[in-house]
């Protein structure tokens, strides 16, 4: 038997935070208040057995614990507990009573003065815990199973209302998701077979939210996420060592998602002429795929693939007003197939090309009833110089879409008449060009440099109304320099540009719902929008051993800036004013950390962190909680922050 | 194929033993001695031919006086990635997690095992941990994950391998699901539905409106609201109305269709609604 190997560490310390602004954004996914710092880890191994325990951010809102163990090649297990805060917005306000419940009421007949509004935080706390076990006792057979539960509790903003007025209110979040996974199979050199299952239940303590409308005094009801059950079974089989050094893979899966509830649970007035009093949601998907990979000649490998996917929505169709209104069940099916090949050319050059065909048929999506995609791509990679790797890739996608609008009985002044002129970017015919270039340069063992550029352009065809084009440029560079034992320096920079153009049409009730015809009414006009966003980022990071194996200084700095704008042109009489503050922001972060080894087993770390975010956006400038016909709660108004964080920890290693 | 290619027959000649390797490669041996690979009780290198299990027989290398790559297999940058991975897959290729390695994007793009894993460290863990090891190649993702709106990747609450299967899968971008929706619903089960009134792009692809790693726009949106919504929705009255800076809080004619959360001020059930009356996803 081997000697036991045991090692671990315990880190304890404290943190002080100097905060100018109480911003949820600063604390979005972390707990960075004044207080205690605690981390630990422990590993034990003997013979083929191992065991580990880990704890991070002990006692804080973002704490994490894990226990792992097992025996190599036989079995493994893991138990975990994880808390994830999601702070959305602090210091929100509302006139509602019953915050956190499914019934929001107003104490008086109309919202009183804002001075009496209650303060609360929009935040959702997630707790995840569970276990995973992998068993390989009877190799080549294996068996895995897992169980976990996710609980989310808190508040998030919900907007509702209508033409009479708009209200932003706290939506209760009390979700529980239980997941059970199991899979097992057989694995040999020639054949693999796997069968897997996943069952998941989602429960929401509040399927509906009643709220008193401040404009009418009437209690209204909003639907919140409904309880649902999800099940999946899947199987795959892989045959290897087939002729031409080939591998065949066949995969199939089936899922079912269900949810049911009654109109009487909602509490709102029942629509006249309702055809069903209960809704049975039932969506199934079926997927079948096959892939055949070969090495027909030494320098070449190829892949053929086919995939079929079908989403079948068998949910209840809800109709009311004597069929005047009906829900439309959306489902679709896809067929996808293609081939690609890799070939090694002389001079350390590799070429990779391929073609993919995809067809999609949809129900109840008349603007994209069906489409066919043809995609070709070509990649080249060259490594003829040992210290340089260059890659270039080009792809072209052509999408042809068929629309299927039912315009029967509609006239030019019916609002629905306009549907034939609206082409939506997610399904419309288009040509997409994408070019990527990457370059890696390593002239020394101690120096690496890389750059990458990507250009993507979508040109949407025959668009009367909708997005006509979008394009993006992305450029990144980075380097790493390891200067012997003196300095380890790395850095990166990035620039991204995104532009999008769209056509729109302003018209109102009884005006022409046809943007191609001038109805002579100055209130009916076409207008055009161009969006332009630029993003820059740069960062530097260094590790400097001030005293070898004793004292180390880590420094890192990062800056990023986003600058957007929206310009308009119009055929209307009134000019449209550009938007210059368009999700504009600056973020600066600085981290400095000094670690000193008091002994071989003990070290102390002193750290400082500075973070600053400034945000400017036209939609939040001059924020008003109660503009005309609107009651807002202040969601996402606490963007800006400037914080200094200092911490001191001592770590004992054993 | 790395897992299917028969491993070249290893002649049990020319082996010199780990002690000979140690004479020159003391640092490497010391780190190897602390690794899982050194455990003789598992079917690892130490229970076979130690250093030469992975590096090959060393007699010729010694005879020629050593030197980097001289008659010895090394896991250097310039060594053929497929050959490097093949060494590891001799033992690790038979684990179920490696089923899709041959068909995976990493293997097909010359990412070898040692690109991410350090073979000589104490725990056998990745060189840097996630996400840094992934950011080393995926520069765009590193930039995205640091943007103002992001999944908690840099905070360590979502790791790259929470969503991706780096050893290969059949799905696009090697995600741990058949498609993006199934993956998103793993954590966002509240968005699964089924809904009485659906929003078809939501049901077909979350990525129509959201990006996955990070965005300059709130809620990881691909574009800003109301523009994202208006790219699809042109209708009489407010959907087709232009919202320029006049309609901001500080503008001449403020509109609750624009300021604050814009369309979401009313259409709170944007992912789908379960009221029996159709309220255009406002209820």
């Amino acid at each position: 038997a081997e000697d036991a190997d045991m090692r671990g560490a315990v880190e304890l310390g404290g943190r002080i935070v100097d905060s100018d602004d109480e911003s949820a954004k600063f604390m979005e996914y972390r707990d960075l208040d004044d207080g205690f710092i605690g981390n630990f880890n422990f590993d034990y191994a003997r013979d083929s057995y191992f065991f580990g325990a880990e704890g991070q951010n002990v006692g804080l809102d973002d704490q994490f614990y894990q226990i792992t163990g097992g025996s190599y090649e036989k079995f493994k297990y893991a138990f975990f507990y994880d808390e994830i805060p999601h702070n959305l917005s602090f210091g929100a306000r509302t006139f509602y009573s019953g915050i956190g419940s499914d019934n929001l009421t107003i104490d008086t007949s109309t919202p009183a003065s804002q001075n009496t509004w209650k303060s609360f935080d929009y935040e959702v706390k997630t707790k995840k815990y569970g276990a995973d076990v992998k068993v390989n006792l009877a190799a080549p057979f294996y068996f895995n199973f897992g169980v976990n539960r996710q609980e989310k509790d808190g508040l998030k903003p919900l907007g509702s209302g209508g033409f009479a007025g708009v209200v932003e209110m706290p939506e209760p979040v009390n979700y529980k998701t239980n997941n059970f996974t199991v899979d097992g199979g057989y694995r040999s050199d020639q054949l693999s077979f796997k069968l897997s299952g996943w069952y998941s239940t989602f429960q929401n303590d509040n399927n509906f939210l009643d709220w008193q409308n401040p404009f009418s005094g009437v209690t209204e009801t909003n639907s919140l996420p409904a309880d649902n059950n999800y099940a999946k079974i899947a199987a795959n089989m892989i045959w290897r060592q087939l002729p031409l050094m080939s591998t065949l893979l066949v995969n199939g899966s089936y899922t079912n998602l269900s949810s049911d509830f009654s109109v009487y649970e909602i509490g709102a007035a029942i629509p006249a002429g309702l055809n069903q009093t209960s809704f049975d949601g039932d969506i199934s998907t079926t997927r079948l795929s096959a892939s055949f990979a070969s090495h027909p000649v030494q320098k070449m490998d190829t892949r053929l693939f086919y995939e079929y996917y079908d989403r079948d929505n068998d949910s209840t169709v809800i109709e009311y007003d004597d069929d005047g209104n009906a829900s439309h069940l959306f489902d679709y099916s896809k067929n996808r197939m293609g081939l690609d090949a890799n070939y090694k050319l002389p001079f350390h050059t590799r070429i990779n090309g391929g073609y993919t065909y995809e067809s999609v048929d949809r129900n109840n999506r008349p603007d994209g009833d069906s489409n066919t995609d043809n995609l070709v791509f070509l990649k080249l990679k060259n490594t003829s110089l040992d210290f340089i790797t260059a890659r270039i890739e080009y792809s072209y996608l052509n999408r042809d879409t068929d629309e299927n609008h039912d315009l029967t009985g509609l006239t030019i002044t019916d609002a629905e008449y306009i549907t034939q002129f609206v082409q939506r970017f997610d399904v419309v015919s288009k040509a997409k060009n994408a070019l990527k270039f990457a370059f890696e340069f390593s002239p020394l063992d101690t120096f690496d440099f890389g750059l990458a550029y990507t250009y993507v352009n979508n040109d949407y065809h025959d668009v009367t109304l909708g997005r006509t084009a979008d394009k993006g440029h992305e450029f990144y560079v980075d380097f790493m320099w390891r200067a012997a034992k003196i300095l380890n320096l790395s850095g990166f920079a990035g620039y991204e540009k995104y532009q999008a153009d769209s056509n729109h049409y302003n018209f109102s009730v009884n005006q022409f719902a046809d943007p191609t015809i001038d109805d002579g009414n100055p209130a009916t006009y076409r207008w055009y929008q161009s969006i332009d966003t630029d993003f820059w980022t740069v960062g530097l990071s260094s590790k400097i051993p001030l005293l070898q194996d004793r004292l180390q200084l880590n420094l890192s700095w990062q800056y990023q800036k986003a600058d957007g704008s929206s310009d308009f042109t119009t055929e209307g009489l009134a000019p449209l004013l550009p938007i210059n503050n368009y999700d504009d922001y600056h973020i600066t972060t600085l981290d400095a950390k000094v670690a000193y080894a008091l002994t071989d087993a003990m070290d102390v770390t002193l750290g400082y962190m500075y973070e600053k975010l400034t945000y400017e956006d036209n939609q939040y400038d001059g924020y008003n909680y109660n503009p005309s016909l609107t009651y807002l709660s202040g969601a996402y108004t606490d963007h800006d922050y400037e914080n200094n964080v200092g911490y001191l920890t001592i770590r004992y290693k054993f | 194929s790395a897992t299917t290619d028969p491993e070249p027959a290893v002649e049990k000649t020319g082996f010199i033993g780990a002690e000979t390797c140690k004479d020159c490669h003391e640092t490497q041996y010391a780190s190897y001695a602390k690794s899982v690979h050194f455990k003789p009780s598992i079917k690892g290198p130490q229970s076979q031919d130690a250093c030469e299990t992975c590096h090959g027989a060393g007699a010729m290398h010694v005879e020629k006086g050593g030197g980097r790559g001289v008659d010895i297999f090394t896991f250097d940058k310039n060594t053929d990635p497929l050959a490097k991975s093949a060494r590891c897959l001799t033992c690790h290729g038979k684990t179920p997690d490696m089923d899709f390695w041959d068909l995976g994007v990493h293997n097909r793009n010359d990412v070898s095992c040692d690109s991410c894993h350090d073979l000589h460290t104490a725990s056998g863990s990745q060189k840097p941990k996630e996400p840094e090891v992934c950011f080393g190649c995926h520069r765009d993702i590193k930039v995205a994950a640091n943007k103002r709106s992001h999944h908690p990747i840099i905070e360590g609450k979502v790791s790259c391998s929470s969503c991706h299967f780096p050893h290969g899968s059949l799905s696009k971008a090697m995600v741990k699901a058949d498609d993006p929706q199934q993956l998103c619903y793993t954590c966002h089960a509240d968005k699964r539905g089924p809904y009485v009134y659906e929003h078809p792009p939501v049901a077909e692809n979350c990525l129509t409106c959201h990006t996955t790693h990070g965005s300059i726009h709130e809620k990881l949106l691909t574009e800003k609201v109301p523009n994202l919504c208006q790219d699809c929705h042109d209708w009489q009255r407010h959907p087709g109305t232009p919202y320029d800076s006049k309609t901001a809080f500080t503008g001449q004619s403020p509109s609750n269709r624009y300021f604050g959360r814009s369309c979401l001020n009313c259409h709170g059930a944007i992912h789908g609604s379960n009221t029996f009356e159709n309220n255009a996803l406002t209820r």
Side-chain angles (χ1 to χ4, degrees), chain A residues 309-311 330-334 360-362, chain B residues 181 203-204:
Chain A
Y309 176 79
D310 180 62
R311 181 190 200 254
F330 174 69
D331 43 32
Y332 64 99
S333 61
K334 283 185 183 180
V360 186
D361 284 298
R362 302 178 182 86
Chain B
Q181 295 91 285
E204 187 170 337

Side-chain angles (χ1 to χ4, degrees), chain A residues 85-304:
Chain A
H86 193 183
N87 295 304
L88 302 169
S89 196
F90 290 158
R93 291 186 246 156
T94 186
F95 46 80
Y96 281 114
S97 293
I99 297 169
S101 76
D102 62 356
N103 187 14
L104 297 175
T105 57
I106 307 172
D107 292 335
T108 55
S109 58
T110 57
S113 161
Q114 288 185 38
N115 295 333
T116 65
W117 289 14
K118 302 162 190 71
S119 180
F120 65 98
D121 295 335
Y122 284 119
E123 59 181 5
V124 177
K125 292 182 177 176
T126 299
K127 293 177 183 173
K128 290 169 72 175
Y129 48 93
D132 291 299
V133 176
K134 294 185 175 186
V135 181
N136 202 28
L137 287 174
F141 294 96
Y142 63 92
F143 175 70
N144 307 322
F145 68 91
V147 55
N148 67 72
R149 181 179 174 91
Q150 176 177 278
E151 298 175 4
K152 289 187 179 184
D153 292 289
L155 300 168
K156 64 180 184 177
L158 174 67
S160 194
F163 294 110
V166 170
V167 188
E168 185 177 76
M169 56 194 137
E171 173 188 333
V173 175
N174 300 108
Y175 305 158
K176 295 171 186 66
T177 307
N178 298 305
N179 293 303
F180 308 91
T181 59
V182 60
D183 65 82
Y186 168 86
R187 209 333 179 157
S188 72
D189 286 343
Q190 277 189 298
L191 182 69
S192 294
F193 174 78
K194 181 180 176 183
L195 193 63
S196 60
W198 174 21
Y199 182 67
S200 175
T201 64
F202 170 79
Q203 297 165 286
N204 186 359
D205 289 353
N206 312 291
N207 286 168
F208 298 94
L209 173 67
D210 292 332
W211 55 280
Q212 197 175 346
N213 191 322
F215 301 99
S216 64
V218 173
T219 296
E220 302 208 39
T221 303
N222 267 53
S223 66
L224 303 182
D227 296 354
N228 63 63
N229 297 318
Y230 178 82
K232 178 181 180 180
I233 55 168
N236 68 57
M237 199 174 276
I238 306 171
W239 285 275
R240 304 180 188 84
Q241 300 176 12
L242 295 173
L244 299 176
M245 294 180 67
S246 301
T247 300
L248 174 65
L249 185 147
V250 181
N251 187 51
S253 67
Y254 173 83
T255 73
N256 181 261
L257 174 66
S258 61
S259 176
D260 58 81
F261 49 87
S262 156
V263 70
Y264 303 111
E265 294 175 48
I266 301 176
I270 297 174
L274 185 67
N275 68 325
Q276 299 281 344
T277 57
S278 64
F279 172 76
D280 290 315
D282 185 341
I283 295 174
S284 302
T285 68
T286 306
R287 183 186 303 270
L288 298 168
S289 65
S291 185
F292 187 74
S294 302
H295 286 272
V297 295
Q298 189 186 1
K299 292 184 176 178
M300 185 177 188
D301 63 79
T302 60
R303 188 173 66 112
L304 290 164

Side-chain angles (χ1 to χ4, degrees), chain A residues 2 29 47 62 82 187 220 223 245 287 320 340 381 448 496 527 529 560 577 582-583 617 619, chain B residues 5 39 41 77 93-94 99 108 110 146-147 150 157 179 217 224 227 232 240 244 260 278 283:
Chain A
E2 297 171 30
Y29 298 117
D47 298 330
D62 53 356
D82 194 10
R187 209 333 179 157
E220 302 208 39
S223 66
M245 294 180 67
R287 183 186 303 270
Y320 60 96
D340 57 66
K381 178 182 174 183
D448 299 317
E496 298 175 2
W527 57 278
Q529 186 169 22
Q560 56 179 284
L577 303 183
Y582 189 88
D583 270 343
D617 185 85
Q619 288 170 237
Chain B
D5 287 353
K39 292 179 80 64
S41 54
K77 273 184 187 175
K94 289 173 185 168
D99 267 352
R108 295 168 67 82
D110 293 341
N146 279 281
K147 287 179 179 172
H150 60 263
K157 290 300 181 184
D179 54 43
H217 308 301
K224 192 167 151 57
N227 308 126
C232 290
D244 63 351
N278 184 4
R283 300 289 189 278

Side-chain angles (χ1 to χ4, degrees), chain A residues 295-567:
Chain A
H295 286 272
V297 295
Q298 189 186 1
K299 292 184 176 178
M300 185 177 188
D301 63 79
T302 60
R303 188 173 66 112
L304 290 164
F305 59 91
Y306 170 76
E307 181 181 2
Y308 167 78
Y309 176 79
D310 180 62
R311 181 190 200 254
D312 187 19
N313 193 342
D314 282 330
S315 303
T316 308
V317 174
I318 300 299
E319 297 176 348
Y320 60 96
D321 286 345
D322 297 326
D323 300 345
N325 274 290
S327 60
H328 301 289
L329 303 181
F330 174 69
D331 43 32
Y332 64 99
S333 61
K334 283 185 183 180
N335 282 281
R336 185 168 163 266
M337 64 194 79
L339 61 95
D340 57 66
N342 245 315
Y343 190 78
K344 287 182 182 172
L345 297 168
F347 305 109
H348 296 273
T349 301
R350 198 182 69 188
I351 187 168
N352 177 211
Y355 166 74
T356 302
Y357 169 86
E358 181 175 296
S359 67
V360 186
D361 284 298
R362 302 178 182 86
N363 285 325
N364 288 317
R365 185 82 202 262
D367 61 318
D369 189 55
S370 67
N371 63 260
T372 55
D373 289 2
N374 288 281
L375 170 74
V376 291
F377 74 87
L378 188 68
K379 298 180 188 177
L380 278 171
K381 178 182 174 183
N382 182 275
T383 54
S384 50
L385 293 173
D386 283 350
F387 56 93
I388 294 177
T389 300
R391 294 186 191 86
I392 188 164
E393 176 182 350
Y394 171 74
S395 68
Y396 174 76
L397 167 71
N398 183 72
R399 172 171 295 166
D400 284 319
T401 302
D402 290 324
E403 301 179 24
N404 184 22
H405 297 286
D406 182 4
L407 303 172
T408 309
L410 295 177
T411 67
I412 199 168
T413 53
D414 289 318
E416 290 88 346
Y417 191 80
I418 202 169
T419 55
Q420 63 189 300
F421 302 108
V422 180
Q423 284 76 39
R424 297 184 169 104
F425 68 92
D426 64 323
V427 294
V428 70
S429 298
K430 70 172 182 178
K432 178 181 179 181
N433 288 278
L435 178 68
K436 293 182 180 180
F437 173 75
F439 176 83
E440 319 278 348
F441 182 58
S442 304
L444 305 168
D445 279 349
T446 54
F447 184 78
D448 299 317
F449 174 80
L451 65 84
Y453 170 75
T454 301
Y455 170 75
V456 178
N457 176 50
N458 283 295
D459 186 8
Y460 302 100
H461 295 161
D462 305 322
V463 175
T464 307
L465 300 175
R467 193 186 297 177
T468 57
D470 58 54
K471 62 183 174 184
H473 301 266
E474 296 176 352
F475 185 77
Y476 310 105
V477 295
D478 61 11
F479 75 92
M480 180 175 282
W481 179 42
R482 298 168 291 275
K485 295 180 178 178
I486 304 168
L487 175 69
N488 193 333
L489 182 67
S490 61
F492 71 94
Y495 170 69
E496 298 175 2
K497 186 175 188 65
Y498 172 78
Q499 293 169 295
D501 299 317
S502 53
N503 297 343
H504 306 273
Y505 183 55
N506 183 88
F507 75 110
S508 199
V509 180
N510 295 324
Q511 294 171 341
F512 279 11
D514 183 347
T516 65
I517 294 176
D518 183 2
D519 65 355
N521 184 343
T524 306
Y525 58 89
R526 295 181 63 153
W527 57 278
Y528 312 92
Q529 186 169 22
S530 292
I531 291 164
D532 194 336
T533 63
D534 294 281
F535 175 81
W536 297 265
T537 182
V538 59
L540 282 172
S541 178
S542 66
K543 292 179 181 176
I544 307 166
L546 299 175
L547 290 173
Q548 194 64 38
D549 299 329
R550 277 286 177 203
L551 184 64
Q552 174 154 313
L553 172 66
N554 290 0
L555 291 171
S556 69
W557 167 81
Q558 192 180 141
Y559 173 76
Q560 56 179 284
K561 175 185 176 183
D563 183 13
S565 65
S566 169
D567 280 328

Side-chain angles (χ1 to χ4, degrees), chain A residues 567-617:
Chain A
D567 280 328
F568 302 88
T569 53
T570 178
E571 295 172 4
L573 297 178
L576 296 175
L577 303 183
I579 299 166
N580 295 318
N581 289 342
Y582 189 88
D583 270 343
D584 295 353
Y585 72 86
H586 302 252
I587 298 178
T588 305
T589 61
L590 175 68
D591 275 295
K593 188 168 76 173
V594 180
Y596 179 69
L598 299 167
T599 67
D600 286 347
M602 189 173 289
D603 56 47
V604 61
T605 300
L606 179 65
Y608 168 74
M609 186 171 76
Y610 170 80
E611 288 194 14
K612 181 179 181 181
L613 186 151
T614 56
Y615 175 80
E616 289 185 82
D617 185 85

Side-chain angles (χ1 to χ4, degrees), chain A residues 44 48-53 66-72 75-79 132-134:
Chain A
Y44 175 86
S48 68
Y49 294 93
F50 62 95
F51 173 84
Q66 181 169 262
I67 291 173
T68 55
S71 173
Y72 291 108
F75 69 94
K76 286 182 186 175
Y77 58 83
F79 298 91
D132 291 299
V133 176
K134 294 185 175 186

